[in-house]
Amino acid sequence: MAMNARSSPTKSSDELVLRSELWNGRDEPRVAFASVNAEEDKPFNFLHVLFDCAIAGGTAGVFVEAALYPIDTIKTRLQAAHGGGKINLKGLYSGLVGNLAGAFPASAIFLGIYEPVKQKLLETFPENLSAFAHLTAGAVGGAASSLVRVPTEVIKQRIQTGQFTSAPDAVRLIVRREGLKGLFAGYGSFLLRDLPFDAIQFCIYEQLLLGYKLAVRWIH
């Protein structure tokens, strides 16, 4: 009996420690979940989201443009070649600096507009219209960025095909010969191609991302 009396406090203290450890372990995901909810409950700041996404989007656009510029140059020269003529593989980076000067603001405007517009529309529309919110945000972002993307594309393509040697010369001579509308050559066809592309691409991306998140939550 004395032995049992001495062992019972030890047993009780061990049980308390074990329960405490189990309880703390159970609380960890709750604390993490609560912190996530707290972040999600923060008031929506349009300008803050616009600024963050603009910086991230512009930086990403510059890296992608720099990496793929030679391939884009080859594509443009192939399209400009007549009768199966050979293309010049020299100067594949011609006009890169000027193009990056346009790629950064174009990408920054697109994502800087897309993300806050998407979040605002998701707050406004019912949940079953989330795809429409993504489509609309993609089209709005594409339309806004087209004001920079189209002149950038016009200048880039003319440098790639050897019509000009630098972006400043291209801008100056195009405006002198064709006026400002020369910088927006093909603007209508650009909108017909790129607005649906941007809208559908980001809509599918968002829906797949949402499906992935739901699957992860279901698994855990």
Side-chain angles (χ1 to χ4, degrees):
M1 291 294 292
M3 182 176 179
N4 290 339
R6 286 194 301 269
S7 63
S8 60
T10 305
K11 182 179 179 181
S12 299
S13 63
D14 290 343
E15 287 178 355
L16 289 174
V17 170
L18 179 59
R19 288 180 181 178
S20 176
E21 290 176 353
L22 290 173
W23 183 258
N24 290 336
R26 287 167 57 189
D27 276 352
E28 286 178 2
R30 293 185 182 183
V31 171
F33 184 70
S35 65
V36 171
N37 285 343
E39 290 181 1
E40 290 178 352
D41 291 339
K42 289 181 179 179
F44 174 69
N45 188 323
F46 187 93
L47 293 178
H48 180 73
V49 175
L50 187 151
F51 178 78
D52 287 348
C53 293
I55 296 299
T59 304
V62 166
F63 277 101
V64 171
E65 192 68 32
L68 300 180
Y69 194 81
I71 298 174
D72 189 64
T73 300
I74 294 173
K75 182 206 73 172
T76 302
R77 291 178 181 177
L78 283 171
Q79 292 173 334
H82 299 287
K86 294 183 179 180
I87 63 170
N88 182 13
L89 294 179
K90 294 181 180 179
L92 295 181
Y93 279 96
S94 297
L96 174 62
V97 175
N99 190 63
L100 294 181
F104 182 88
S107 300
I109 291 171
F110 180 84
L111 283 177
I113 294 294
Y114 170 79
E115 189 62 30
V117 168
K118 178 196 75 174
Q119 293 188 24
K120 199 66 179 176
L121 291 176
L122 288 175
E123 291 179 359
T124 305
F125 293 159
E127 188 175 351
N128 61 344
L129 292 179
S130 62
F132 181 73
H134 298 142
L135 282 170
T136 304
V140 171
S145 65
S146 68
L147 298 175
V148 177
R149 288 164 68 183
V150 172
T152 301
E153 282 293 310
V154 170
I155 294 168
K156 177 187 72 175
Q157 290 176 0
R158 297 196 185 186
I159 292 175
Q160 288 173 333
T161 54
Q163 298 181 43
F164 303 105
T165 57
S166 67
D169 287 343
V171 173
R172 179 171 52 83
L173 293 174
I174 289 173
V175 172
R176 179 187 296 178
R177 298 170 184 172
E178 307 171 35
L180 285 175
K181 66 178 182 180
L183 294 174
F184 290 89
Y187 187 73
S189 59
F190 177 89
L191 293 180
L192 288 174
R193 181 197 68 181
D194 279 47
L195 290 193
F197 178 87
D198 293 334
I200 295 171
Q201 179 188 29
F202 275 82
C203 178
I204 294 175
Y205 160 76
E206 295 284 0
Q207 296 303 309
L208 290 176
L209 182 62
L210 177 61
Y212 170 77
K213 289 180 178 179
L214 291 175
V216 170
R217 286 185 182 181
W218 182 79
I219 291 171
H220 292 286

